[in-house]
Structure formats: structure tokens, C-alpha cells
Amino acid sequence: MKPSVTLAQTTTSDGATLSLRMHDGQYHMRIGGHGLMSTIATSSEARLAELACERLAKEGRKHVLIGGLGFGFTLRRVLELVTTDVKVEVAELLPQVVAWNREHLQSVNGGLVDDPRVGILIEDVFALLARATAGQYDAVILDVDNGPAALVDRGNSRLYAEHGLRVLSRALRVGGRAVFWSASPERSFLARLTQAGFRAEAVATKAYAKSKRRTHTLFVADWNG
């Protein structure tokens, strides 16, 4: 068995150990001993981008916000789909994740953080949405924690609560779209989106391109004012 090599690690604000590891040519991020993400299971991240960008109009400068950088697979797919005049902001809470992309992950998607269309913001995506001007974003992509259920950090629940959805709807333009990644179907969240005024649906998606089962859920929420 090939050994797992720790490339970098840091301690988060709540005292947990976040590490970047490489095993058999693939990269993994772990927090507190639990797997957080890998470069193996990336299909749902790409699908996030596809669903978020399919409503973007072809004309005019557009503004996209991605909550969470990770290994950059959602960012890569967004940049593949949008035109050159689109502005893409990425809110990443941990500066170490951005640094690791630049230092260790150039062969993955690390170079994309310095794409001229991309702005990297080291902050909580909720705070960014809360101070956004009305209608600032055409699309918002949220891949934060495990989604609305089974949260590792309970503080992230505010993104998925009633107040958080009001903050999101204000930041979206009329006709804009938000897409949420979730580890589970969480039907109560779909109802919450509808109650908040979004036209919403749950889309089952694969973790791996060749998977037979669709194990993750993407919540698609359109804001029509």
C-alpha cells in the first residue's frame, strides 16, 4: 500500500487540524481526522457550476460568487462556461486553502486563483452576501460544509436558515440563481427555499463520473423577486 504524504497542515480557529495530503497521485483535505474533499470525487462540483451558469444571459457583464474554493473544480467549470467579461468572486474563509492551491495544487486547478477574471476574498461568504448591494450577483454557488444537513461547523447553519435566505435573495438580481451543494436530500431545506420565495428544485447528482448512484443533492433556487 502506498503511503499517504502530508503536504501541509494548519489549525483552524476552532482548534481542529486541517491537512492537505497526497495518496497515490490524488489529493485529499482532511479536518479533525475526517475526509473533507478529494480530487477523486469531483463530478458534483462541476455540476454545481453547470446548473448555476445555465441561466446567465450571453450579453452584458455578469457577476458570479462562489462560496468555498476547495480544490477549485467548481471554479474551473465556471470559467469554462462563462465569457471573458464575467467577474467571478471566490469567498474562502481559510487563507491556507488559497496558499495550498498556489503552492501544492498547480497541477490540479491552483493556477486559476490568479486568472484575471477571478477575485479571491479571504472571508466568510455569509458576511460577503450580507454587505452586497441589492441585485449584485447573477449567480451564487454555495459549497459550504456538508450543505444544510449534518454540518461540521454549526455556525454555517445561518446560510441555510430563513434569515440567510433573505440575505441571499437580496444579493441576487431578479432572475438570478443560487445553487447549494448538499450531502443529503434534506427535504426540509427545499421547503424552506420555497417559503423564502425561491422557485426551487432538488437535483440528485453523482460524486464520481462513473458512479451508478447519485449520492449528493444540488438545490437549485431561482429568484424572481
Side-chain angles (χ1 to χ4, degrees):
M1 180 181 291
K2 294 183 179 180
S4 176
V5 178
T6 299
L7 300 174
Q9 65 181 36
T10 189
T11 303
T12 65
S13 59
D14 59 0
T17 298
L18 178 71
S19 63
L20 174 66
R21 301 183 184 185
M22 184 172 66
H23 175 71
D24 199 16
Q26 299 291 338
Y27 297 89
H28 304 261
M29 237 180 259
R30 298 178 65 83
I31 188 163
H34 301 285
L36 186 62
M37 65 188 75
S38 76
T39 55
I40 301 171
T42 64
S43 290
S44 62
E45 285 90 338
R47 187 67 179 133
L48 263 175
E50 291 164 1
L51 289 169
C53 292
E54 67 182 10
R55 283 192 87 187
L56 289 181
K58 300 299 182 184
E59 302 81 20
R61 184 172 175 82
K62 299 300 174 186
H63 201 166
V64 178
L65 172 64
I66 301 173
L69 173 61
F71 288 124
F73 286 98
T74 297
L75 174 61
R76 181 171 81 181
R77 189 64 181 131
V78 167
L79 293 176
E80 289 171 347
L81 293 169
V82 300
T83 54
T84 56
D85 63 344
V86 171
K87 180 180 180 181
V88 182
E89 290 182 352
V90 181
E92 172 54 57
L93 187 61
L94 297 173
Q96 294 86 353
V97 171
V98 180
W100 294 349
N101 269 271
R102 287 194 171 107
E103 183 177 353
H104 301 288
L105 301 167
Q106 287 289 320
S107 64
V108 184
N109 299 306
L112 298 180
V113 300
D114 296 310
D115 186 289
R117 290 171 290 177
V118 176
I120 303 293
L121 303 168
I122 306 300
E123 63 179 299
D124 188 305
V125 69
F126 181 87
L128 191 62
L129 287 167
R131 72 164 190 269
T133 58
Q136 180 169 332
Y137 295 106
D138 298 278
V140 174
I141 303 170
L142 295 170
D143 186 358
V144 178
D145 211 318
N146 284 319
L151 295 170
V152 174
D153 181 350
R154 297 305 304 175
N156 289 322
S157 63
R158 60 183 180 168
L159 269 173
Y160 309 104
E162 181 181 350
H163 174 64
L165 296 180
R166 286 200 304 270
V167 167
L168 172 63
S169 65
R170 181 181 177 277
L172 275 173
R173 70 165 175 82
V174 174
R177 169 173 284 186
V179 186
F180 303 77
W181 188 94
S182 178
S184 68
E186 194 63 17
R187 290 186 178 88
S188 63
F189 183 60
L190 187 62
R192 209 176 307 142
L193 285 167
T194 302
Q195 291 165 2
F198 290 92
R199 187 175 72 242
E201 65 174 322
V203 178
T205 190
K206 299 176 181 180
Y208 304 88
K210 296 183 179 179
S211 296
K212 294 182 179 179
R213 296 176 60 241
R214 299 177 185 273
T215 53
H216 299 321
T217 301
L218 305 180
F219 291 98
V220 181
D222 292 329
W223 180 249
N224 295 315

